[in-house]
Amino acid sequence: MSILRIRTFVLLTSLFFLFITENRAQFTTYKTGTLLIDTEGDPVNAHGAGMLYHKGKYYLYGEIKKGTTWLVPDQSWECYRVPASGISVYSSEDLVKWKNEGIALAPTSGNPSSDLDTGNVLERPKVLYNSNTKKFVMWLHIDSKTYSYARAGVAISDSPTGPFTYLSSMRPNGNMARDLTVFQDEDQKAYLFYASEDNKTMQICLLSEDYLSPTTRYKRILIDQHREAPAVFKHQNRYYLITSGTTGWSPNKASYAVADSIFDNWVIKGNPCKGKHADLTFFSQSTFVLTVIGKQNTYLFLADRWDKTNLANSTYVWLPLKMKGQEPVIRWRKRWHIPDN
Ligand code: GAL
């Protein structure tokens, strides 16, 4: 080959690789363990988040963490708090570009006896769409600053972006409710999963047909296992529940449980996270598993990397969850993007 040909070859090869890299860069979405940036260039503020897919768009709902973190005195555990600043909502068509849609559920101030008072706790919002009532229903953990109130709150809206109208809070069937999530089955029945009984045992409660209240049908699961941060998904007709241990804002080992039907026995299997730092869920805590539309074996695992002494500084760990047969597997990836997962 002549020198000229070699030069041309090298030039074309470099251009080709530059093109590939540039294109990938455009699509690269998740720098795991960092803040997500919205379409305005601001950090996404949506912690303890949940997602809803509705009419071609994904909606992300989360706790707004801002302000100074303080330690509630005289507690037997590290009760770090920021003022409850309400629930944010973002929308995206591709899970990549997130548009800030504002505050879905606003807090109130000056009345500590109001559930939504900034002095209380508003955590882990999850939203469902009820196709019969055509309403969007939000469930969230409502608590006092010492976490002794232990209730599930419910709010309703005509639009996925809110504003949501707060209805009430309750202890389902008289049982405590802290970390929670919701799950809507293919038959449109919806269930509330919540850490109960002083976080020792989890419970699942069937929601009413309008999704606005708990029914009397409920089951105790993971009895005396001390699990929280529930995230539920369904794969090939089996139900999977990922939870964390109960170490407050500090990371611990996740585990998953499986059931053949919602009110069946949930069998604890083990840690879905694999590899380095898997025992600390890659320094994060589960909050949601998204069924990505159009993907067969891949789900999106959403977790929070809490910064307990500066909660507003907390970031996100979003990773692909892949099904290897009947086993969910989550591996650390520093940088990845959804189309390639
Ligand atoms: C965690 C829980 C968080 C928050 C925190 C308070 O265990 O998952 O959502 O409530 O405790 O310390």
Side-chain angles (χ1 to χ4, degrees):
M1 235 193 280
S2 72
I3 293 284
L4 187 63
R5 276 193 175 168
I6 292 174
R7 277 197 185 146
T8 314
F9 176 76
V10 170
L11 183 71
L12 287 178
T13 317
S14 321
L15 282 175
F16 175 72
F17 280 112
L18 189 68
F19 173 77
I20 300 255
T21 322
E22 276 303 298
N23 264 338
R24 279 189 62 89
Q26 257 182 22
F27 290 109
T28 299
T29 57
Y30 306 123
K31 286 186 209 154
T32 318
T34 62
L35 275 169
L36 297 163
I37 301 300
D38 71 16
T39 48
E40 299 292 307
D42 297 318
V44 168
N45 198 337
H47 306 271
M51 267 193 211
L52 169 75
Y53 180 76
H54 183 72
K55 293 194 175 160
K57 276 192 186 174
Y58 294 94
Y59 294 89
L60 172 73
Y61 303 88
E63 304 156 18
I64 299 173
K65 292 262 185 261
K66 63 179 189 191
T68 308
T69 300
W70 58 291
L71 188 59
V72 180
D74 305 323
Q75 303 303 305
S76 57
W77 54 291
E78 289 185 317
C79 188
Y80 284 106
R81 294 272 300 109
V82 276
S85 299
I87 304 303
S88 57
V89 53
Y90 294 79
S91 67
S92 175
E93 281 172 23
D94 55 8
L95 294 167
V96 177
K97 296 182 276 311
W98 289 99
K99 178 175 176 235
N100 187 351
E101 300 279 3
I103 296 186
L105 180 67
T108 57
S109 59
N111 178 10
S113 66
S114 152
D115 280 1
L116 302 185
D117 191 81
T118 50
N120 293 328
V121 166
L122 309 180
E123 287 180 347
R124 299 190 175 268
K126 305 287 176 281
V127 174
L128 295 169
Y129 176 64
N130 189 306
S131 53
N132 285 326
T133 61
K134 307 216 175 336
K135 302 283 185 195
F136 296 85
V137 178
M138 178 188 292
W139 283 88
L140 73 169
H141 171 198
I142 302 282
D143 229 316
S144 51
K145 66 174 187 242
T146 58
Y147 287 82
S148 54
Y149 195 47
R151 290 162 84 96
V154 61
I156 191 168
S157 175
D158 290 328
S159 152
T161 52
F164 280 77
T165 304
Y166 187 67
L167 299 179
S168 63
S169 70
M170 76 273 320
R171 285 188 170 186
N173 297 292
N175 294 305
M176 285 180 169
R178 290 204 178 98
D179 282 11
L180 58 75
T181 196
V182 288
F183 176 75
Q184 184 183 47
D185 212 340
E186 282 145 303
D187 60 6
Q188 301 305 302
K189 286 196 168 85
Y191 303 85
L192 188 66
F193 286 66
Y194 47 99
S196 193
E197 306 174 32
D198 269 321
N199 289 352
K200 287 198 202 70
T201 291
M202 200 154 278
Q203 295 187 357
I204 308 171
C205 185
L206 173 68
L207 293 174
S208 56
E209 284 186 7
D210 58 10
Y211 301 167
L212 296 177
S213 43
T215 66
T216 53
R217 179 138 198 243
Y218 77 97
K219 184 179 173 83
R220 303 173 67 227
I221 62 163
L222 314 186
I223 293 169
D224 291 331
Q225 295 301 311
H226 297 264
R227 309 301 299 174
E228 59 184 4
V232 186
F233 65 102
K234 187 176 183 180
H235 177 76
Q236 293 178 349
N237 290 323
R238 298 184 93 206
Y239 299 83
Y240 293 81
L241 167 63
I242 297 181
T243 57
S244 76
T246 50
T247 53
W249 302 111
S250 304
N252 54 52
K253 195 200 278 190
S255 91
Y256 76 97
V258 183
D260 287 330
S261 68
I262 291 271
F263 285 123
D264 204 346
N265 287 327
W266 285 78
V267 180
I268 299 169
K269 293 288 191 178
N271 187 0
C273 301
K274 308 287 173 211
K276 200 175 170 193
H277 306 307
D279 281 1
L280 291 174
T281 318
F282 314 113
F283 307 103
S284 70
Q285 184 186 29
S286 49
T287 184
F288 196 74
V289 173
L290 177 78
T291 301
V292 183
I293 304 302
K295 297 267 171 195
Q296 294 294 313
N297 289 312
T298 304
Y299 298 80
L300 178 57
F301 173 71
L302 272 64
D304 294 284
R305 184 172 281 180
W306 302 115
D307 182 342
K308 66 182 172 188
T309 56
N310 183 2
L311 285 165
N313 217 22
S314 302
T315 56
Y316 313 100
V317 170
W318 289 12
L319 287 168
L321 180 158
K322 297 201 175 214
M323 294 305 295
K324 295 270 153 65
Q326 295 194 330
E327 188 194 356
V329 174
I330 305 166
R331 289 185 190 281
W332 175 256
R333 300 198 31 199
K334 196 170 169 204
R335 208 178 164 99
W336 65 286
H337 67 124
I338 285 259
D340 252 12
N341 60 24

